[in-house]
Amino acid sequence: MKSFINVQDIGPLDKAMAEAFEIKNDRYKYQHLGKNKTLMMIFFNNSLRTRLSTQKAAMNLGMNVIVLDVNAGAWKLETERGVIMDGDKSEHLLEAIPVMGCYCDLIGVRSFAGLTDREYDYAETVLQQFIKYSGRPVFAMETATVHPLQAFADLITIEESWKANVGSGSPAAKPKVVLTWAPHCRALPQAVPNSFAQWMNAAPDVDLVITHPKGYELDPRFVGNAVVEYDQKKAFEGADFIYAKNWSNPGVTNLADYGKITCEDRSWTVDTEHMSWTNDGKFMHCLPVRRNLIVTDDVIESPNSLVIPEAANREISCSVVIKRMLEAL
């Protein structure tokens, strides 16, 4: 595996899931693979779970780890070609990238959407430069449009929870999973919902429903075969898992709205009443979460909240990806 961006990159999903549970049972089983190998983690944006879980996964696999926060301790980087560099950016990414590649064996990149130019964001311009110029295998630690490590961990969490509870009276052969938009005070990227939809579509044993206000339609390439339901209550009915996440307007129906907040309806906040519409549903969120905006205190603190196991599984999803890349070196 030379790069990891989308679910297709992981290969057969059933094998990846089996590998995830194998690693979870013995996190140091493949420690020999990373001996004398170095992972470089490059952050263009803030991180807590991604930074900690990725570093832990690499260490479990025996790797050395270099962490570079581009915004604290590095030269300001220019990302555009053809720019006269007479401003505050003193180094170009096209020189910086191959230099970074000299010091490592694998590269993880985290870079968010600018939310001003949809074409630029959805072309994954920054990530693709790393893939093209670093000379190293590259994996996404969240990008302008996707967050595959999170979605992989989400799927692991859903399967674990479903297997643990399916024998307690649920008649469904497979879980109903609902991705719901929720309000937020800031414009956020679509990376998490995009990847969540993509990975749930790829899972053969999940029924996916996506609910959001009209105008917030995700890119069709990620929606796939999911059912889109604009009535949130109807979407929640009988759901086994509720995945709440805000995203700014994706600009699918109106390009001029891309990256903007065009709905602030607080009735979409997930509270106890919302969860009462479900089949004793489990609550999920990628974190960090704005309490009482995305979800109320009582829901996120309830026994049905999976946000902590979900975060813990980030170590596992990343371990599988790094293992696959080490094996391909």
Side-chain angles (χ1 to χ4, degrees):
M1 189 164 63
K2 294 295 184 182
S3 63
F4 175 72
I5 307 171
N6 296 305
V7 67
Q8 295 87 351
D9 298 325
I10 202 71
L13 197 51
D14 58 341
K15 292 183 179 179
M17 292 293 287
E19 200 166 316
F21 292 117
E22 177 194 22
I23 288 174
K24 191 163 186 176
N25 187 55
D26 184 355
R27 297 168 197 242
Y28 305 101
K29 182 176 181 179
Y30 298 99
Q31 199 170 44
H32 61 282
L33 291 174
K35 184 178 181 181
N36 298 328
K37 299 290 194 302
T38 299
L39 167 66
M40 181 173 288
M41 299 163 57
I42 301 163
F43 291 89
F44 289 85
N45 297 88
N46 295 335
S47 173
L48 190 153
R49 276 148 298 277
T50 296
R51 178 167 179 165
L52 297 178
S53 63
T54 305
Q55 188 165 354
K56 181 65 165 62
M59 292 168 65
N60 290 352
L61 291 163
M63 299 191 78
N64 302 311
V65 181
I66 299 173
V67 180
L68 177 64
D69 184 341
V70 172
N71 298 314
W75 300 111
K76 289 188 177 181
L77 296 175
E78 178 58 64
T79 60
E80 296 288 339
R81 297 188 69 195
V83 173
I84 297 174
M85 292 175 58
D86 59 356
D88 65 341
K89 296 177 180 178
S90 53
E91 184 159 10
H92 202 288
L93 202 60
L94 294 183
E95 283 79 61
I97 290 173
V99 168
M100 294 175 193
C102 293
Y103 307 139
C104 64
D105 300 280
L106 304 179
I107 296 178
V109 179
R110 181 177 176 93
S111 61
F112 286 2
L115 297 179
T116 57
D117 184 336
R118 190 180 194 278
E119 183 178 357
Y120 181 89
D121 287 344
Y122 274 71
E124 292 292 3
T125 307
V126 172
L127 181 69
Q128 291 300 329
Q129 287 178 332
F130 275 91
I131 292 172
K132 185 174 181 180
Y133 298 113
S134 71
R136 299 290 182 241
V138 175
F139 63 92
M141 299 191 301
E142 187 168 8
T143 71
T145 65
V146 292
H147 198 348
L149 292 173
Q150 178 65 56
F152 189 7
D154 295 334
L155 185 57
I156 294 168
T157 306
I158 288 171
E159 182 158 332
E160 282 182 322
S161 176
W162 184 248
K163 285 182 176 179
N165 292 282
V166 72
S168 62
S170 175
K174 53 185 177 178
K176 177 181 178 180
V177 178
V178 177
L179 169 63
T180 180
W181 179 91
H184 204 282
C185 52
R186 296 179 56 200
L188 299 182
Q190 299 99 46
V192 170
N194 281 346
S195 278
F196 185 79
Q198 183 185 58
W199 282 70
M200 294 304 117
N201 272 308
D205 52 354
V206 168
D207 284 332
L208 177 64
V209 176
I210 303 174
T211 185
H212 53 71
K214 289 187 177 181
Y216 271 74
E217 291 79 9
L218 296 170
D219 191 296
R221 80 185 83 167
F222 299 110
V223 174
N225 296 321
V227 174
V228 177
E229 174 56 65
Y230 296 104
D231 184 328
Q232 192 186 28
K233 183 174 183 180
K234 185 175 180 181
F236 275 45
E237 289 175 353
D240 299 290
F241 296 90
I242 299 295
Y243 196 101
K245 184 68 179 77
N246 173 267
W247 59 89
S248 60
N249 196 302
V252 171
T253 57
N254 185 356
L255 183 59
D257 287 335
Y258 176 65
K260 296 179 180 178
I261 297 174
T262 54
C263 179
E264 300 180 74
D265 188 352
R266 297 289 179 91
S267 71
W268 284 76
T269 299
V270 179
D271 59 16
T272 301
E273 181 183 358
H274 284 72
M275 296 304 292
S276 72
W277 304 333
T278 71
N279 179 33
D280 194 30
K282 307 295 185 182
F283 176 81
M284 302 179 68
H285 188 279
C286 62
L287 302 181
V289 65
R290 300 261 183 162
R291 284 183 174 224
N292 304 306
L293 190 58
I294 297 286
V295 58
T296 56
D297 291 330
D298 52 343
V299 170
I300 198 169
E301 294 174 5
S302 78
N304 278 16
S305 175
L306 295 178
V307 297
I308 304 304
E310 190 180 353
N313 278 329
R314 291 292 308 279
E315 177 187 342
I316 307 306
S317 64
C318 192
S319 294
V320 175
V321 170
I322 295 176
K323 172 184 174 289
R324 296 281 185 91
M325 288 190 153
L326 288 170
E327 289 173 331
L329 288 179

